[in-house]
Amino acid sequence: WECPNLFPMQTPEGEKWVLLQNMDRGAVSGGSGTQYFIGRFNGTTFINENDSSEVLWFDYGADDYAGVTWNHAPDGRSIFIGWMSNWNDYAQKVPTQTWRSAMTVPHELSLKKTDDGYRLFQLPVKELEILRNDTILMNAQIINDSTQFKITSSVQKDIELVFDVSKSTAENFGFTLYNSKNEFVKIGFDAAKSEFFIDRIHSGNTGFSPLFAAKHVAPYRPGNKLSIRALVDVSSVEVFVDDGKLAMTEIFFPTEDFNQVRLYSENGNAELSGGVIYGLKPAW
């Protein structure tokens, strides 16, 4: 464990403390990753209130590590920024020039009570919405093979989708980022296995590390609706499921920009309740 972060958060039941601990190796998706604990802190001792046999993961992707929160952030919010790479597996091998790695966008954290107890939720800060442009709306529809939406104005995208799980028969559904070279990143929900996943096996330049080309999964059981939000940059995606109950962050290195989005379903139909794809202007 390294790079600890301990901070208070408010709940309807009073103040609780969250402890982030970063694992150098052995994380849920291989290599580096972040665990978290929820409990009490008296100024000297932190006491974990969750089931000690259950490991809580901050992010189920391979590339959100050693993040920190800011004290006294605006409006009393808990704001987090993470480092987007995998320190143990390939951070010093990625095929980049001038610099290596980047940071996540700022995430706003919250504690919400679930059937399993309090859990940490996270979403992009609301201020990022001022970067949105070039809106493409998607009406409710049945996805029975693939539906293609081509984004030409911006490689950076903010994707919001809502699926009706109760009316979907597909074993596997979601969306794919892809380009004209048949490189792609697949993001979706495997209903047959109750897993959310990001698959970057065919994402482009993966040969720099035998550990990079992989499909990473997170156990997940949605309700009747499944909402997915994804922030897409040139070489990264940050995914937030069901208002941030689950987060997955992954980097990738296509040889041509992923300028297209395709919805898909496999072995059945997926019912899209609605969605929107925004282009994103640069933040600077």
Side-chain angles (χ1 to χ4, degrees):
W1 281 342
E2 63 176 0
C3 304
N5 192 193
L6 179 64
F7 53 95
M9 299 190 73
Q10 295 298 321
T11 76
E13 299 177 8
E15 183 181 81
K16 292 186 179 293
W17 286 75
V18 176
L19 173 64
L20 302 184
Q21 286 282 21
N22 292 269
M23 296 181 65
D24 175 67
R25 57 183 64 93
V28 63
S29 289
S32 308
T34 305
Q35 291 180 248
Y36 74 92
F37 307 84
I38 301 170
R40 308 189 305 276
F41 180 60
N42 63 8
T44 303
T45 303
F46 173 82
I47 299 175
N48 178 30
E49 293 182 341
N50 286 97
D51 184 349
S52 59
S53 66
E54 182 180 12
V55 178
L56 303 181
W57 294 103
F58 184 79
D59 190 300
Y60 274 82
D63 299 303
D64 190 351
Y65 187 60
V68 295
T69 58
W70 270 257
N71 196 23
H72 301 303
D75 303 319
R77 296 181 293 173
S78 295
I79 306 297
F80 167 95
I81 296 180
W83 176 60
M84 277 201 297
S85 196
N86 193 300
W87 170 247
N88 186 74
D89 283 359
Y90 44 74
Q92 299 184 60
K93 301 176 183 178
V94 293
T96 60
Q97 298 177 1
T98 307
W99 68 83
R100 279 202 169 111
S101 304
M103 309 303 288
T104 68
V105 300
H107 299 180
E108 180 174 352
L109 308 184
S110 60
L111 278 180
K112 296 183 180 181
K113 198 164 191 177
T114 71
D115 292 340
D116 298 315
Y118 276 101
R119 292 295 184 266
L120 202 57
F121 284 58
Q122 53 185 307
L123 284 172
V125 294
K126 60 186 178 182
E127 287 82 357
L128 287 170
E129 296 176 7
I130 64 174
L131 302 178
R132 290 173 170 175
N133 60 14
D134 301 323
T135 303
I136 294 179
L137 294 175
M138 289 168 282
N139 296 323
Q141 58 188 284
I142 300 297
I143 310 299
N144 53 25
D145 182 9
S146 65
T147 304
Q148 180 174 322
F149 296 91
K150 186 173 182 180
I151 307 297
T152 58
S153 60
S154 175
V155 175
Q156 291 82 12
K157 293 174 276 289
D158 188 350
I159 301 172
E160 294 185 347
L161 304 171
V162 178
F163 291 93
D164 191 331
V165 179
S166 66
K167 297 180 181 179
S168 297
T169 61
E171 291 183 3
N172 187 317
F173 60 88
F175 68 96
T176 303
L177 308 171
Y178 70 104
N179 60 26
S180 65
K181 295 187 176 182
N182 293 320
E183 298 168 348
F184 62 88
V185 172
K186 195 172 186 179
I187 299 166
F189 177 64
D190 189 325
K193 297 181 179 179
S194 296
E195 293 177 342
F196 201 87
F197 68 87
I198 299 179
D199 183 346
R200 64 181 181 193
I201 293 174
H202 303 286
S203 59
N205 188 347
T206 63
F208 56 89
S209 169
L211 302 174
F212 190 80
K215 178 182 178 181
H216 298 125
V217 303
Y220 197 71
R221 293 186 180 276
N224 291 331
K225 300 284 186 178
L226 177 71
S227 67
I228 305 172
R229 184 174 178 190
L231 291 180
V232 182
D233 208 338
V234 174
S235 60
S236 67
V237 62
E238 299 177 60
V239 180
F240 309 88
V241 181
D242 288 339
D243 296 321
K245 185 178 182 180
L246 170 70
M248 297 187 75
T249 304
E250 301 265 335
I251 59 175
F252 40 76
F253 302 96
T255 60
E256 179 183 278
D257 289 341
F258 289 136
N259 64 350
Q260 299 183 51
V261 179
R262 177 183 294 149
L263 274 64
Y264 79 90
S265 68
E266 297 176 355
N267 299 322
N269 297 334
E271 181 151 329
L272 181 73
S273 299
V276 59
I277 301 177
Y278 302 97
L280 290 177
K281 299 178 292 185
W284 58 85

